[in-house]
Amino acid sequence: PDLADTNIVMADLDGIDPKALVAHLRSRSVLAAQAGPQRLRFVLHRDVGDEGVRACLAAAAEFCPQR
């Protein structure tokens, strides 16, 4: 189906080293996996709430402040 409920987020990266971003996120207690040459995969656990999502977004913004 075109619209399915899921806890998986795929992020396509443009001009960002995925390995460096994964390492940065890990240093901030956020786990992600490289899912392609320029793609990251995030899976949201049912026990992660809004605060955890905000922490993930803040860690990513810290790595890429100009974007």
Side-chain angles (χ1 to χ4, degrees), residues 6-28:
T6 183
N7 63 337
I8 299 172
V9 175
M10 303 298 272
D12 292 322
L13 308 176
D14 183 25
I16 298 170
D17 178 6
K19 290 179 181 158
L21 179 52
V22 166
H24 172 79
L25 293 172
R26 182 178 297 272
S27 77
R28 303 302 190 269

Side-chain angles (χ1 to χ4, degrees), residues 1-66:
D2 289 336
L3 300 173
D5 289 337
T6 183
N7 63 337
I8 299 172
V9 175
M10 303 298 272
D12 292 322
L13 308 176
D14 183 25
I16 298 170
D17 178 6
K19 290 179 181 158
L21 179 52
V22 166
H24 172 79
L25 293 172
R26 182 178 297 272
S27 77
R28 303 302 190 269
S29 300
V30 176
L31 301 180
Q34 191 168 349
Q38 290 298 119
R39 179 175 275 192
L40 291 188
R41 178 178 183 260
F42 298 85
V43 179
L44 187 65
H45 188 274
R46 67 178 182 203
D47 292 334
V48 174
D50 292 346
E51 190 64 30
V53 172
R54 281 191 287 274
C56 175
L57 294 173
E62 183 181 349
F63 184 82
C64 314
Q66 72 279 7

